[in-house]
Amino acid sequence: MSDVLDSGVFSRFGRMEVNADGSAGSYEIFARSGNVENPERNWSEWRKITPDAGTSGLPSARFVQWKAVLSPGARVDSVGINYLPVNIAPVVDEIAVEPGARANQPAPPSGQPQQVTINLPSAQNAISYSQDPSTAPLTAVRDRTAVTVRWSAHDDNGDELVFDVYVRGDGEKNWRLLRSRVSERFYSFDSIRIPDGGYRVRVVASDAPAHVLGDALAGERESDHFIIDTTPPVLTGLQGNLQSGVLHGSFVATDATSPIVRAEYSLDAGRWQVLEPVGKLSDALSEHYDFSIPLASIPVRPTPDEPEGSPPPVTDAQEHILTVRVYDRYDNVSAAKTVLH
């Protein structure tokens, strides 16, 4: 009889334990080892084993096979071999970074901050019928002051893992530690801790909780590039005038980190209307706005969210208030106004 054991990883083999009845006949135990599943390909030679007496003497490998040679009347009920898997470094499989989200917060009441789901890249279009909890969607809440990092990792030895999280900005050489010995597979931090700009995160996985000092191994991965932008755009040069019933206005919107994505104007606290930049496409860090709008085309109050009623008396019929606001890619907003006569 013979059997093959797969230890799962490269292992050192120790004492063999045999449960046998040799009272009516003799038996001998042989074993060999190899690193491929097929025992006929590059395995060690058969080696006679003395059961229950010291190490087996087999070369370290992933697979081991034993066989028993029985004389008439002998019986072998079971054979076991002690082995120690060689430690293998853990692997960080993937990382997702979500600026503007904070995880590990109590569920918000109705009408409170919007929830956001953070998926790992491999889960974006994947269907799984037995999903690994470590890769399941992570629920967070919208928070412009936070950044959430999540990752998946595995260890072929099945060891418990802890994680160190680092960040490095564009043009920097050194990684800065954000948090050490994180046991969860996500971490949220305040974006105010680092200035606006481009960054990458490094996650280092360690199997230190499962090993004595000096035997632990680590694996790491860097995230894709991401942007932190919590500073509103700057509005400059806002001016306007009224000529022959036409509103003429102009201004420049500039952001140091992300493109200007949209602009709006309001006249006399009326409803917001979209403005297009010069060139119509809003995709640059600086956009110039120059517009002319007939007053007759501007919606007047009341708006749907404002109560109807008699307007207050007008002291100066020639006075109008032009207000503009602009947004960058990360929903930072700035507003400015000018008085027109």
Side-chain angles (χ1 to χ4, degrees), residues 2-49:
S2 64
D3 202 1
V4 175
L5 166 70
D6 180 4
S7 67
V9 295
F10 193 79
S11 302
R12 294 190 291 270
F13 299 106
R15 183 171 61 90
M16 293 191 71
E17 302 177 8
V18 179
N19 181 14
D21 182 2
S23 59
S26 62
Y27 66 89
E28 292 180 318
I29 301 294
F30 297 85
R32 61 180 177 175
S33 60
N35 286 305
V36 294
E37 194 169 3
N38 184 351
E40 306 306 321
R41 296 178 56 193
N42 299 318
W43 277 46
S44 66
E45 298 296 327
W46 286 107
R47 177 185 180 89
K48 185 176 180 180
I49 305 297

Side-chain angles (χ1 to χ4, degrees), residues 94-135:
E94 50 187 344
I95 302 174
V97 181
E98 186 73 22
R102 187 182 299 275
N104 202 24
Q105 296 294 307
S110 177
Q112 292 301 307
Q114 176 188 0
Q115 289 191 342
V116 59
T117 299
I118 305 171
N119 287 303
L120 290 163
S122 63
Q124 295 296 331
N125 299 304
I127 298 176
S128 175
Y129 294 97
S130 57
Q131 193 165 33
D132 181 351
S134 68
T135 62

Side-chain angles (χ1 to χ4, degrees), residues 33-339:
S33 60
N35 286 305
V36 294
E37 194 169 3
N38 184 351
E40 306 306 321
R41 296 178 56 193
N42 299 318
W43 277 46
S44 66
E45 298 296 327
W46 286 107
R47 177 185 180 89
K48 185 176 180 180
I49 305 297
T50 302
D52 305 306
T55 181
S56 64
L58 292 170
S60 297
R62 172 175 172 174
F63 298 93
V64 62
Q65 182 183 39
W66 64 269
K67 69 178 179 179
V69 179
L70 309 177
S71 66
R75 186 180 77 238
V76 173
D77 295 319
S78 63
V79 174
I81 183 167
N82 297 284
Y83 64 93
L84 177 65
V86 173
N87 193 21
I88 296 176
V91 176
V92 180
D93 299 298
E94 50 187 344
I95 302 174
V97 181
E98 186 73 22
R102 187 182 299 275
N104 202 24
Q105 296 294 307
S110 177
Q112 292 301 307
Q114 176 188 0
Q115 289 191 342
V116 59
T117 299
I118 305 171
N119 287 303
L120 290 163
S122 63
Q124 295 296 331
N125 299 304
I127 298 176
S128 175
Y129 294 97
S130 57
Q131 193 165 33
D132 181 351
S134 68
T135 62
L138 173 67
T139 300
V141 296
R142 283 291 179 197
D143 185 342
R144 291 179 54 255
T145 67
V147 179
T148 294
V149 184
R150 70 163 307 189
W151 57 88
S152 64
H154 74 274
D155 185 275
D156 287 337
N157 302 109
D159 293 336
E160 178 186 354
L161 300 178
V162 292
F163 305 92
D164 294 340
V165 184
Y166 298 83
V167 66
R168 185 175 69 185
D170 293 347
E172 299 174 3
K173 295 182 179 180
N174 297 326
W175 290 95
R176 288 179 280 171
L177 180 65
L178 290 171
R179 185 70 179 268
S180 63
R181 300 189 67 81
V182 178
S183 56
E184 299 87 358
R185 303 200 178 192
F186 68 91
Y187 176 61
S188 295
F189 64 94
D190 293 328
S191 55
I192 198 171
R193 295 171 60 181
I194 52 180
D196 290 355
Y199 292 89
R200 294 181 189 271
V201 163
R202 172 186 283 177
V203 176
V204 179
S206 170
D207 58 10
H211 296 276
V212 298
L213 186 65
D215 288 346
L217 296 177
E220 63 185 46
R221 179 178 288 271
E222 294 180 19
S223 72
D224 291 336
H225 185 264
F226 65 94
I227 299 292
I228 290 179
D229 184 1
T230 59
T231 303
V234 176
L235 280 168
T236 57
L238 175 60
Q239 55 184 333
N241 60 76
L242 292 170
Q243 293 182 358
S244 303
V246 177
L247 165 64
H248 300 275
S250 64
F251 65 94
V252 175
T254 304
D255 193 276
T257 306
S258 64
I260 305 297
V261 295
R262 76 178 190 274
E264 300 169 322
Y265 77 92
S266 169
L267 188 67
D268 296 333
R271 69 183 61 172
W272 291 103
Q273 300 291 305
V274 174
L275 275 177
E276 289 183 334
V278 174
K280 297 188 178 296
L281 184 61
S282 187
D283 62 352
L285 295 178
S286 182
E287 295 286 357
H288 180 219
Y289 296 83
D290 194 333
F291 52 95
S292 296
I293 303 170
L295 289 182
S297 69
I298 300 175
V300 296
R301 298 175 70 175
T303 61
D305 58 346
E306 296 169 331
E308 295 191 30
S310 300
V314 175
T315 303
D316 185 351
Q318 302 302 312
E319 180 183 274
H320 296 277
I321 304 298
L322 172 64
T323 306
V324 296
R325 64 183 182 186
V326 294
Y327 294 80
D328 65 19
R329 180 172 289 171
Y330 293 90
D331 278 338
N332 300 299
V333 59
S334 283
K337 74 173 184 179
T338 185
V339 181

